[in-house]
Amino acid sequence: MNETMQDMKQHRTGIRSWSRVLQKAVIGVSMLGVLALAPGCGKSIPVIEPALLEKKASLLVVTGPALAEADKASLQTALTQWQNTKHLSYEWVQNADSSATWTPDLIAKTGSRNYDYIVVAGHDLARSALTAAQQVTQRKWLLLDDGLTRDTVQVSGDHIQMKMVQDAEFRALWDPWVKEQTKAGRTIEWVTTSAYPVPGEWAPSEEAEYISLSDAEGWYGQFQHQVRRHGPDWIAVYAPMDSAAVQRMRSLQIPVMNMGGTTVQLQWNGILTLLQGAIDGQAWTPGIQPYTESEARIVKN
């Protein structure tokens, strides 16, 4: 009988041991599921369970190498908070090359993944993504142009929304400064390119000699001559121009107002709030749309 009792004790001990093993196995599987949903960074894309993607709204974010470190940190914070509070999944591809990102293979892959929204940030990336967006119509695309080239863009399709600062908004931003100089009797020497004509109300046609085109051959010598002859109070750069060219103008010892250096600073909390509204059933407005104050700040440089 003692042997029987001993056998029963060993049997119960074995059951308890296997119970502990099974508990650890279940915990391990659960942890793997959590890790599969961990946010990704860099160019690597984390694995998201297909079944979970069917239940959760999912987001693909694509940014280029020009994204500042502060903006990366802001985006990462917003995405993490978005995931934790809204239980939404995301993938983030960083340092994407606009000239190589939207290849036919990648477009096909994008179309096959279960993303609800694809967000593309950056001037060059947003412009190059337009073609891909027009082909992948089963996803909603939010293209964030953070440049100020002020050219004409055509956006077609109810699934595409492009945020950008348009020419009228740019003029409204700088119009008070121009009017202030005019009212005070100060003269302005304008520098632009043929693609960006200075508004007529800022530089009337009779003042054409006060406008220099930096894309004309041998323009700088003539520009220097005009500056010496006119003695302006300001040099105003209207078109986007590289910093070396602007610095060269500053060497003329006349104040330079670099309008073309105006930048757009994206506000990621506001942008994700926009997406959240669309996910929650609020209206999705396609086409070219202005930024709201909560989505972007226009910064004069």
Side-chain angles (χ1 to χ4, degrees):
M1 181 174 181
N2 289 336
E3 291 181 357
T4 302
M5 293 295 293
Q6 185 67 27
D7 290 341
M8 291 178 65
K9 288 181 180 180
Q10 291 178 351
H11 182 65
R12 286 195 296 270
T13 301
I15 291 174
R16 285 195 295 269
S17 298
W18 274 108
S19 176
R20 285 193 293 269
V21 169
L22 287 173
Q23 287 177 351
K24 291 180 179 179
V26 170
I27 292 172
V29 170
S30 300
M31 289 301 296
L32 286 174
V34 172
L35 289 174
L37 293 174
C41 60
K43 292 187 177 181
S44 61
I45 296 179
V47 176
I48 298 179
E49 297 283 350
L52 290 175
L53 275 177
E54 293 298 325
K55 298 178 182 179
K56 301 170 68 173
S58 58
L59 169 69
L60 171 66
V61 179
V62 182
T63 59
L67 189 67
E69 290 301 320
D71 292 333
K72 288 182 182 179
S74 176
L75 174 55
Q76 182 64 73
T77 299
L79 285 172
T80 302
Q81 182 181 21
W82 201 52
Q83 183 187 48
N84 293 339
T85 59
K86 304 298 182 180
H87 307 293
L88 304 172
S89 60
Y90 73 88
E91 298 177 2
W92 179 12
V93 177
Q94 299 185 40
N95 302 319
D97 183 354
S98 61
S99 63
T101 299
W102 305 108
T103 62
D105 288 344
L106 183 56
I107 294 172
K109 179 181 178 182
T110 302
S112 65
R113 297 293 293 267
N114 291 326
Y115 301 118
D116 296 293
Y117 295 88
I118 301 174
V119 178
V120 184
H123 173 67
D124 293 332
L125 272 174
R127 298 300 180 92
S128 66
L130 266 176
T131 301
Q134 291 167 353
Q135 296 181 37
V136 183
T137 59
Q138 65 271 41
R139 311 285 177 247
K140 282 188 168 64
W141 293 73
L142 178 60
L143 308 180
L144 306 172
D145 189 340
D146 61 0
L148 282 166
T149 54
R150 311 189 300 279
D151 55 350
T152 302
V153 181
Q154 298 295 328
V155 176
S156 60
D158 292 340
H159 62 294
I160 305 173
Q161 181 178 151
M162 188 168 194
K163 291 276 188 174
M164 62 183 298
V165 177
Q166 296 182 273
D167 188 58
E169 189 176 358
F170 177 83
R171 293 190 189 190
L173 179 70
W174 284 102
D175 191 61
W177 180 83
V178 175
K179 287 182 176 178
E180 178 186 352
Q181 309 315 311
T182 303
K183 184 177 180 179
R186 303 186 187 104
T187 56
I188 301 173
E189 194 79 30
W190 293 91
V191 179
T192 188
T193 64
S194 53
Y196 298 96
V198 179
E201 62 270 24
W202 290 358
S205 56
E206 60 269 20
E207 299 178 6
E209 63 176 10
Y210 283 83
I211 301 175
S212 295
L213 300 179
S214 64
D215 53 351
E217 185 176 355
W219 76 278
Y220 194 76
Q222 178 61 30
F223 169 70
Q224 285 180 301
H225 174 71
Q226 289 180 192
V227 168
R228 286 193 295 267
R229 183 159 57 91
H230 296 153
D233 297 288
W234 284 96
I235 295 173
V237 181
Y238 185 70
M241 201 164 296
D242 63 77
S243 57
V246 175
Q247 189 59 38
R248 191 181 183 189
M249 294 178 211
R250 296 188 192 280
S251 66
L252 299 176
Q253 304 301 311
I254 293 174
V256 175
M257 183 60 72
N258 186 16
M259 297 180 179
T262 306
T263 58
V264 178
Q265 186 175 24
L266 300 178
Q267 305 295 298
W268 288 104
N269 282 326
I271 290 169
L272 292 181
T273 298
L274 167 69
L275 282 176
Q276 185 61 53
I279 292 171
D280 291 342
Q282 297 178 16
W284 168 266
T285 308
I288 296 176
Q289 303 296 327
Y291 287 106
T292 65
E293 291 184 359
S294 65
E295 296 166 354
R297 291 178 56 242
I298 302 177
V299 182
K300 294 180 179 180
N301 292 325

